[in-house]
Amino acid sequence: MKSKYILLVFISLIVASCTSKPIEEADIIFTNGKIYTVNDNQPWAEAVGVKDNKIILVGSSIEAKKYMGDKTEVINLHGKMMLPGFVSGHDHLISSNWMKAGVPLFDAKSKADYLKLIKEYADQNPDEPIVFGYGWNKDAYGGWPTAKDLDEAVPDRPAMIFDFTIHDMWLNTKALEAGKISKDTKDPNPGLTYWRRDANGAPEGVGVELAWLDAFIAAGAWNPSKMMKESQELLYNKAASCGLTSVINQGLITPNITNLKVYKEDMKWSFEYLDKLDKEGKLKLRTFQNYVYKNSKDDVDLLISETLALKEKYNSDRLRMHGIKVHPEGNWNSNTSLMLEPFLNTGTVGVSGIKENLLLEIHNKANDNGLDVHVHVDGSATTRYTINAIEASRKRGNTSARNVLQHYFWTHPEDHKRVVEMNIPVNTTPLFGTDWQGQTKDAYKFLGEERVNTYFMKYTSLSKDGSHNVSISADIPSSPVELLDPLFNLETAVTLQDPQNENSQAFPPTEVPLDLITGIKALTIYPAWQARMEDKIGSIEVGKYADLVILEDNIFEVGKRDLSKIKVNATMMDGKFTFKRQKGVAVNYNPQHEITIPSQIGCCEHGNHKH
């Protein structure tokens, strides 16, 4: 009798264990993965559980079973790698792809190549009222191009061709006429934003550092309702396919960017449009947008008030008005950045459109109102003046401000030391420091070996101990859209080489590349901190949002020169898949029927790019 009783108890215990409720029933559980969490207290895991839009489990596959219920969707990763969703610290993804219309010119090696590609495109597209293109480089061209040159390829209608930085534009004669550009046209900011002219003062055909904006509008090239929507859809889809789940959008790119009174309407439209997508469940990236200030004639108080008004209305964890982006200068490779010492090829120090005292005013007023300031620091003088402004604002009491140096190309050694000591956060685009597009030759030619060795792209040395906050990103549209991929940027940062070029040489020669773990943090937790979201995204931890990316290969197991070839299998933002390489059908959990992430679930096609 006693043995029967024991048997009944044993059976009842088994039944109870089989029918017991989970600790907390997950909506989705990922099991059997190699999950790198970017959480130093728990770097690796096998399983992640998601309920609604939050992570409720980070642990082993055995632990995961305690969270499985009748409705739990179980996804077996079969050893594939999972990371936190990638965060971009600097891209322009809402409205910028209109600058990449028409014929791509990155493969051209000479003037003849450029004109041939443009002519072929124009002949193949006779119904396009304006011929667009992008990607020319004056070094490959053999000097600055002219309208007369472009007339040879496109004589019958306007042609507007962006350079590879998207800052300068090459126009033919009909485009100059349509844009109302003549000898009498004044340069917006001589030496910085200007038209290249012949000996008689007539425009030759190139508008430097956005001098072409008004001409673009006057020629009828700007169609905001069409171009902005198309850009957003294409770029956000591309971003999701590359594993991106969040972006600090460093300014809305429209031709009105230097006219605050008009530009503010573009900003309002962008937020209304993104808010509509968000409410419809179609927003694929957390978007934290900065308000651009580029024209020193625009009122700073108006800038602050417009930014605060948008922040009051849009301040969620998916869509937020974040802060201010100051763009005071141009690019060093067009000699329009402000340097402490002269460019060797021109004998000039460049130009800044926003003087030191104005930089200080913007930092003080923005920080006083709880807004962070991100400054385009290209030239060594601009970097110094921005560091001065950050230091002054901190002394004023704004110690919690997270002001960020964007680009960090040329930095005097003493200023670099100050950045380290003050722990000032930095964002950069690793590709812009490599031999891509002949930048190595320009660096030596324009600034000389000593400055190359001691000033250039010092971001890697900021993170030697892994503590300094450095983020890396593509800076679309200054990079081709195809190079948005975070893993492309990771490879560049840990090798200092151009992933597109198997013969690329590490540059600068005196710098040590980022280590792999720091590089991963520069794509995740560091930019999350710069967005003031480090407690909610950027690592895989219980309580954080379920922003995740699944990779085909393990970052730690492939060669560093193969990182850009790793395929993204799936991306999840806020607990929902925003990208899969292969559509699957969600089914209810069944121990004998687990959902699998197959080896062909989709891909952000990294590597093997041709531009």
Side-chain angles (χ1 to χ4, degrees), residues 205-227:
V206 172
V208 175
E209 187 49 39
L210 308 183
W212 47 267
L213 291 175
D214 288 343
F216 192 84
I217 296 172
W222 179 234
N223 184 345
S225 61
K226 179 176 185 291
M227 290 177 165

Side-chain angles (χ1 to χ4, degrees), residues 6-21:
I6 294 173
L7 179 61
L8 287 170
V9 171
F10 180 68
I11 291 172
S12 66
L13 288 173
I14 292 176
V15 171
S17 66
C18 292
T19 59
S20 61
K21 293 183 178 180

Side-chain angles (χ1 to χ4, degrees), residues 87-368:
V87 181
S88 167
H90 187 136
D91 276 297
H92 305 270
L93 300 183
I94 299 171
S95 171
S96 66
N97 202 55
W98 57 272
M99 305 172 88
K100 294 296 178 71
V103 55
L105 299 170
F106 290 95
D107 287 339
K109 305 298 182 185
S110 65
K111 174 181 175 178
D113 287 348
Y114 284 117
L115 296 179
K116 180 175 181 290
L117 287 170
I118 295 168
K119 179 174 172 50
E120 288 176 350
Y121 178 85
D123 290 345
Q124 292 166 7
N125 296 274
D127 296 330
E128 291 188 5
I130 299 174
V131 174
F132 292 110
Y134 61 96
W136 60 268
N137 182 327
K138 69 180 187 304
D139 294 332
Y141 191 85
W144 288 97
T146 67
K148 185 178 180 181
D149 295 341
L150 191 50
D151 290 344
E152 296 178 21
V154 189
D156 60 333
R157 54 196 146 142
M160 296 180 163
I161 315 294
F162 293 94
D163 82 324
F164 77 100
T165 71
I166 313 298
H167 284 246
D168 305 336
M169 180 183 280
W170 175 22
L171 297 83
N172 67 355
T173 299
K174 286 193 175 293
L176 290 172
E177 293 171 353
K180 300 179 182 178
I181 302 302
S182 68
K183 184 177 180 179
D184 297 328
T185 301
K186 293 183 179 180
D187 292 330
N189 195 333
L192 173 63
T193 305
Y194 63 95
W195 290 94
R196 289 188 57 80
R197 300 173 186 269
D198 62 21
N200 297 317
E204 290 184 318
V206 172
V208 175
E209 187 49 39
L210 308 183
W212 47 267
L213 291 175
D214 288 343
F216 192 84
I217 296 172
W222 179 234
N223 184 345
S225 61
K226 179 176 185 291
M227 290 177 165
M228 291 172 76
K229 286 182 179 179
E230 287 180 350
S231 283
Q232 187 278 329
E233 182 177 6
L234 184 148
L235 294 173
Y236 275 51
N237 284 338
K238 172 64 176 175
S241 78
C242 296
L244 279 162
T245 55
S246 299
V247 61
I248 303 178
N249 198 79
Q250 294 288 353
L252 184 72
I253 303 297
T254 81
N256 298 312
I257 200 168
T258 58
N259 185 339
L260 183 56
K261 291 182 179 180
V262 181
Y263 182 65
K264 69 180 184 179
E265 298 304 319
D266 292 342
M267 286 292 291
K268 289 177 182 177
W269 182 92
S270 72
F271 273 105
E272 289 170 359
Y273 179 62
L274 293 174
D275 186 51
K276 179 176 179 290
L277 291 178
D278 188 24
K279 289 174 178 174
E280 293 173 350
K282 297 177 181 178
L283 187 65
K284 293 190 175 184
L285 293 178
R286 300 184 190 278
T287 304
F288 313 108
Q289 185 166 196
N290 283 338
Y291 214 125
V292 171
Y293 184 86
K294 186 166 178 64
N295 186 348
S296 62
K297 296 177 182 178
D298 285 333
D299 183 65
V300 174
D301 291 329
L302 176 61
L303 169 77
I304 300 298
S305 65
E306 289 293 326
T307 305
L308 290 172
L310 286 172
K311 186 171 183 178
E312 184 177 355
K313 190 171 184 180
Y314 304 103
N315 195 19
S316 76
D317 289 343
R318 289 194 302 270
L319 180 60
R320 178 181 302 162
M321 180 73 251
H322 179 68
I324 306 292
K325 163 69 181 301
V326 183
H327 198 290
E329 57 185 355
N331 294 311
W332 66 268
N333 40 19
S334 63
N335 304 137
T336 54
S337 294
L338 188 64
M339 296 291 178
L340 293 169
E341 304 95 353
F343 288 100
L344 297 180
N345 59 317
T346 63
T348 64
V349 294
V351 180
S352 176
I354 299 172
K355 305 302 181 185
E356 186 175 8
N357 63 334
L358 189 53
L359 269 175
L360 177 60
E361 179 186 354
I362 294 169
H363 277 82
N364 286 342
K365 288 183 175 179
N367 292 167
D368 287 351

Side-chain angles (χ1 to χ4, degrees), residues 454-482:
T454 58
Y455 285 48
F456 192 47
M457 294 298 278
K458 304 291 287 184
Y459 72 96
T460 59
S461 61
L462 290 173
S463 292
K464 282 183 178 178
D465 62 357
S467 65
H468 199 96
N469 193 295
V470 176
S471 66
I472 56 175
S473 51
D475 189 15
I476 303 299
S478 290
S479 289
V481 174
E482 294 83 358

Side-chain angles (χ1 to χ4, degrees), residues 421-464:
E421 292 172 348
M422 295 170 65
N423 202 25
I424 299 174
V426 166
N427 169 274
T428 197
T429 300
L431 184 65
F432 296 167
T434 69
D435 51 13
W436 178 65
Q437 290 294 311
Q439 292 178 122
T440 304
K441 295 177 181 178
D442 282 349
Y444 284 123
K445 179 181 177 181
F446 297 168
L447 290 117
E449 184 175 2
E450 181 181 351
R451 277 184 279 182
V452 166
N453 291 340
T454 58
Y455 285 48
F456 192 47
M457 294 298 278
K458 304 291 287 184
Y459 72 96
T460 59
S461 61
L462 290 173
S463 292
K464 282 183 178 178

